[in-house]
Amino acid sequence: MIIRRYLDFIWLSLFWASGLLILLVLSAMLAYLIWRGGPALSLEFLTASPRGIPLGAQGGVYPAIKGTFYLVLIAVVTAGIPGIITAIYLTEYGMQSSLKEIVNLTVQCMAGIPSIITGLFVYAFLVVQLKWGMCLMAGGIALGIMVLPVIVLTTRDAFLAVDNNYRWLGASLGVSRGYMFLRVILPQSVPAVLSGLLLAMGYAAGATAPIMVTAAVISSNSSGAWFEPVMALPYHLYILFSEHTSMDKAYGTALLLVLLLLVVNIIALWIRSWQGRDFHNDFRPK
Amino acid sequence: MTLGLNNFYVSYNNKLILQDINLAFQEKTVSAIVGPSGCGKTTLLRSINRTAELESGFRCNGEIMLYSVNIYQTKDVGSIRRRIGLVFQQPVALPMSITENVIFGVRYCGEKNKNCLQEINEQCLRRVALWNEVKDKLKRPARELSGGQLQRLSIARAIAVRPDVLLLDEPCSSLDPASTHMIEDLLVDLAQELTIIIVTHNLIQAKRIAQETVFMLDGQVVEKGPTEIMFSNPDKNETRDYFF
């Protein structure tokens, strides 16, 4: 008995220690970023283009914010549509099919592809072969390929979380799967799907490797034209510190990026907490 | 005869669940299927409703006739499932209002006329003796109802699409005696229009409401006959052992 109690104590301490460690790592990083990057954050930093010699030593990161926004938008649209449709197939239609297993496996494998390889592939295929050049569209698609498995998996789990008895009930009433999905399953899972999409956006916003060779450049006004290169926050950050352009600006950019991701994640969690509210009134056919 | 099973076999992943089922259910009667857990009663109901095939590894053999239609040779599975309704053991409240729950299947079939839908709604709720309890809160979410009310709502939803046969899988197993009684009365009443087949663990329930009783064991039908005879003087020893 005594030994068991000691063991329990040791386990509990381990849990606490691990939890504290995670908290410590996060807060240490955040504190350091605020300390080093806080002073750089200003209205000008957020609204001006980079200036100075070398470029970026002065001015702001506005084009990079804009570029990242466009890249993420394209990524989430290009990956969201096939991602959600795949998830619908996996949960609603692929019940007895062996194709489902293959799709599942493919998605798992995709999630394991290093993002630099995705970048390389998009570079070779779209940028070089199709002669798109480095551009917003190529970068957005590269990010889309990267977040596709994330979207498929979060969306699939969102649909799976809906009470399976609804599906059985629908079937027993002779109601088609599509109707059941639109009337019951989808309205129930909207919050989880949205929060999954937001998490994917956060993931895409922070990724550097896929855009390094496909879209991001040191200087651009990030007009949003599909076939023009753009600036992006993570790539800008990479340039600032790897070229020792300005460490202050680099930390400022890093802090900005982390704060953006934090906000996106908090919104995602908040949306997730809507789960369980009744959405039926909003989705009822008129 | 409304519904007949001839040499019907079911297996899942090559494991035989039902073998050589031969049954005939008369029109506008209540029949009870009894037997120990795991004897295949639920699989039998799901096979008749054609939802058993949704689980992977399902295979069946033989025929199930609904009047003159072999239901496993019909392309339109949806219409078969609507003609043979199924009510689950655990009542399911779709995440929508009481009214929307009742008319869910009817709406799916394309009925758009508001008056017509409202009429079906009221008619079905009255049919299951739920109307007086819910008529002032038809727009409230169905999940606010009690277990007994929900089970009656499930029956209303199943009969709203005008089935010929209504299957019930232990509909009272999670209900209190009062609600159970209500559902039993309701089934007897519904049997004036429908053929009802109920799976139950409660032998007394079978005795109270069923004209015919089927006893199943290990995926086979042991005996079927008029309820009084099954309960007083059954043929087979297995039935005797289980009933007495």
Side-chain angles (χ1 to χ4, degrees):
Chain A
M1 265 331 271
I2 300 271
I3 293 178
R4 180 151 297 185
R5 205 173 294 162
Y6 274 117
L7 266 178
D8 259 5
F9 177 75
I10 292 171
W11 271 117
L12 204 64
S13 321
L14 262 177
F15 295 146
W16 272 97
S18 320
L20 271 179
L21 186 71
I22 290 173
L23 203 68
L24 206 70
V25 170
L26 181 69
S27 39
M29 259 169 71
L30 205 60
Y32 186 72
L33 283 179
I34 291 173
W35 173 53
R36 293 294 303 267
L41 285 192
S42 64
L43 195 63
E44 196 214 355
F45 186 72
L46 294 176
T47 56
S49 294
R51 281 182 284 109
I53 301 169
L55 193 73
Q58 283 163 0
V61 294
Y62 178 62
I65 299 177
K66 228 166 62 170
T68 287
F69 175 76
Y70 288 135
L71 282 168
V72 167
L73 210 62
I74 291 178
V76 85
V77 171
T78 51
I81 296 167
I84 291 174
I85 292 174
T86 307
I88 296 175
Y89 168 73
L90 287 177
T91 59
E92 311 301 321
Y93 290 89
M95 292 177 195
Q96 297 137 306
S97 146
S98 49
L99 181 62
K100 171 187 166 182
E101 299 307 321
I102 298 172
V103 173
N104 258 327
L105 192 71
T106 313
V107 172
Q108 299 283 357
C109 288
M110 260 185 98
I113 298 176
S115 57
I116 186 73
I117 292 179
T118 308
L120 187 69
F121 166 74
V122 172
Y123 171 77
F125 183 56
L126 297 181
V127 176
V128 177
Q129 195 71 33
L130 295 187
K131 301 195 172 68
W132 284 13
M134 281 175 72
C135 64
L136 175 60
M137 209 54 198
I141 290 174
L143 288 175
I145 296 175
M146 186 188 78
V147 298
L148 181 64
V150 179
I151 292 179
V152 173
L153 294 178
T154 53
T155 318
R156 183 196 67 182
D157 289 348
F159 296 151
L160 283 181
V162 178
D163 191 350
N164 210 22
N165 284 325
Y166 295 154
R167 296 185 179 92
W168 278 108
L169 175 72
S172 80
L173 271 175
V175 170
S176 73
R177 291 170 188 180
Y179 186 83
M180 209 52 207
F181 177 77
L182 287 178
R183 279 291 312 273
V184 179
I185 312 288
L186 184 62
Q188 288 290 299
S189 46
V190 162
V193 171
L194 283 182
S195 90
L197 286 181
L198 270 175
L199 289 176
M201 286 169 84
Y203 181 35
T208 322
I211 56 172
M212 276 175 85
V213 288
T214 55
V217 290
I218 293 176
S219 172
S220 155
N221 64 0
S222 300
S223 64
W226 288 8
F227 293 100
E228 298 279 324
V230 289
M231 283 182 72
L233 281 174
Y235 184 72
H236 187 61
L237 167 63
Y238 169 73
I239 293 297
L240 287 181
F241 81 78
S242 67
E243 314 266 309
H244 287 280
T245 309
S246 158
M247 287 319 265
D248 287 343
K249 297 283 180 198
Y251 280 115
T253 312
L255 180 61
L256 178 65
L257 189 57
V258 167
L259 288 179
L260 274 178
L261 295 184
L262 216 58
V263 169
V264 168
N265 281 306
I266 288 172
I267 295 177
L269 283 178
W270 175 62
I271 291 179
R272 177 139 256 197
S273 72
W274 296 352
Q275 192 83 31
R277 284 195 206 169
D278 271 332
F279 286 92
H280 64 269
N281 286 326
D282 310 331
F283 288 85
R284 216 175 59 194
K286 293 288 178 283
Chain B
M1 184 186 79
T2 314
L3 190 80
L5 291 86
N6 303 321
N7 307 98
F8 192 70
Y9 288 76
V10 168
S11 65
Y12 278 109
N13 300 317
N14 297 324
K15 188 171 175 281
L16 208 54
I17 307 289
L18 295 176
Q19 34 183 324
D20 200 18
I21 307 283
N22 289 284
L23 287 171
F25 296 99
Q26 299 308 319
E27 199 165 357
K28 295 178 187 171
T29 56
V30 179
S31 307
I33 302 178
V34 297
S37 297
C39 71
K41 304 184 299 281
T42 298
T43 305
L44 180 65
L45 284 199
R46 290 195 162 182
S47 305
I48 300 175
N49 173 248
R50 281 205 69 176
T51 41
E53 65 206 61
L54 294 176
E55 253 163 315
S56 59
F58 173 87
R59 281 182 62 187
C60 71
N61 219 319
E63 53 179 28
I64 299 182
M65 306 294 291
L66 175 65
Y67 295 107
S68 57
V69 180
N70 183 344
I71 67 167
Y72 274 91
Q73 274 172 5
T74 311
K75 285 263 158 56
D76 188 359
V77 182
S79 83
I80 291 294
R81 289 176 182 158
R82 279 188 292 280
R83 287 180 67 189
I84 307 177
L86 174 61
V87 173
F88 298 108
Q89 184 172 0
Q90 284 296 326
V92 179
L94 290 172
M96 43 187 82
S97 69
I98 294 173
T99 301
E100 286 296 323
N101 260 277
V102 176
I103 60 176
F104 189 75
V106 185
R107 213 192 251 287
Y108 170 75
C109 293
E111 182 58 65
K112 289 206 174 70
N113 185 326
K114 266 201 172 146
N115 294 330
C116 186
L117 287 172
Q118 234 147 42
E119 203 169 299
I120 292 174
N121 178 38
E122 181 173 342
Q123 207 179 18
C124 293
L125 286 172
R126 280 189 191 283
R127 214 72 195 75
V128 298
L130 197 57
W131 177 255
N132 287 330
E133 292 163 54
V134 301
K135 65 177 181 225
D136 301 321
K137 47 177 185 177
L138 291 169
K139 293 245 178 332
R140 302 292 306 160
R143 60 174 154 71
E144 291 177 5
L145 297 178
S146 72
Q149 289 175 322
L150 253 184
Q151 196 54 291
R152 277 180 283 152
L153 182 74
S154 303
I155 297 174
R157 185 171 49 208
I159 62 173
V161 291
R162 306 198 145 275
D164 299 316
V165 180
L166 186 63
L167 312 170
L168 301 104
D169 189 359
E170 297 181 42
C172 305
S173 63
S174 57
L175 303 183
D176 59 85
S179 303
T180 301
H181 219 83
M182 228 164 172
I183 291 196
E184 286 176 5
D185 287 348
L186 162 69
L187 293 179
V188 171
D189 186 38
L190 280 174
Q192 293 173 354
E193 293 165 20
L194 294 166
T195 305
I196 291 179
I197 303 172
I198 177 172
V199 160
T200 178
H201 266 300
N202 184 342
L203 293 176
I204 319 267
Q205 182 171 58
K207 205 170 171 180
R208 273 196 300 253
I209 62 174
Q211 279 100 54
E212 295 217 293
T213 298
V214 178
F215 175 58
M216 283 180 70
L217 195 65
D218 296 331
Q220 286 172 308
V221 172
V222 175
E223 195 172 352
K224 172 181 188 282
T227 303
E228 316 88 75
I229 296 179
M230 289 288 281
F231 277 87
S232 56
N233 190 19
D235 264 352
K236 303 271 167 56
N237 283 332
E238 292 99 323
T239 319
R240 221 174 272 275
D241 291 344
Y242 186 73
F243 280 29
F244 303 121

